[in-house]
Amino acid sequence: MKNNWWKILAVLLLVFTVVAGMLSDVPRLAILNETIRNLYFHVPMWFGMILILFVSVVYSIKYLRNPTVKNDVIAYEAAKVGILFGVLGIITGMEWARFTWGEYWSNDPKQNASAIGLLIYFAYIVLRSSFNEQQQRARISAVYNVFAFAALIPLLFILPRLTDSLHPGNGGNPGFNSYDMDSSLRIVFYPAVLGWTLLGIWIVNVKSRLEILRQRLYENA
């Protein structure tokens, strides 16, 4: 129980996020209306994606300095979970866009940059599958992972700000913090970010342990 407190916290935060996210009062804003509740799902998933992909690149760097199976496995599993969160972020974002922008995909710079970023990481998965030798696969994919994360950050946070965009916080549009991130949203939003991120870390932890165990059993077979 002592070592699992953060898992219990993750469950409690996510239950709170879902219940409060659906039932709590939210600001009545033009166009957004009730869709602003998606702030508790779409945005935290993107935060979680960035943090989990950061964990992935940290372990890729650790692998390049200390090439162990554990470092490679955690980097790979974290990348896959980060991709999952990114896909969920795009899906929830598309649903939000349908109500606020009038269509699922409007070729907004933020949408396009997000899609490109995910494609870069999908290529990481394909790259790993193209090598049979474990050390070669781990080393080359670790190098690629470092460059993938370095490309993702400007794609998401810099390039969309340099052009016109419908997305809040980009292209001259104010972000939520500027005009409507009041206390009723913050009290759910911040726990949601922590809850979704802890869930992602939990999944990475479980998948990494299972994969390390599988590889050990294979080596001893």
Side-chain angles (χ1 to χ4, degrees), residues 101 108-111 113-114 154-176:
W101 300 348
D108 182 82
K110 189 79 167 186
Q111 287 181 319
S114 301
L155 276 171
L156 294 182
F157 300 110
I158 298 176
L159 296 181
R161 296 176 181 273
L162 302 179
T163 184
D164 292 334
S165 174
L166 295 169
H167 196 281
N170 296 278
N173 283 333
F176 282 108

Side-chain angles (χ1 to χ4, degrees), residues 12-77:
L12 293 176
L13 288 173
L14 289 175
V15 170
F16 171 75
T17 296
V18 173
V19 174
M22 295 298 181
L23 301 179
S24 64
D25 291 331
V26 293
R28 302 303 178 203
L29 300 172
I31 301 177
L32 289 172
N33 299 312
E34 289 293 323
T35 67
I36 199 172
R37 297 181 188 277
N38 202 11
L39 182 72
Y40 308 138
F41 304 95
H42 170 65
V43 180
M45 286 176 183
W46 278 109
F47 272 96
M49 177 195 74
I50 295 297
L51 292 172
I52 294 167
L53 291 179
F54 178 72
V55 170
S56 175
V57 77
V58 166
Y59 274 89
S60 285
I61 294 172
K62 289 180 67 174
Y63 178 84
L64 294 173
R65 299 182 62 182
N66 180 26
T68 64
V69 171
K70 178 181 177 181
N71 287 337
D72 176 54
V73 167
I74 294 177
Y76 180 46
E77 297 301 337

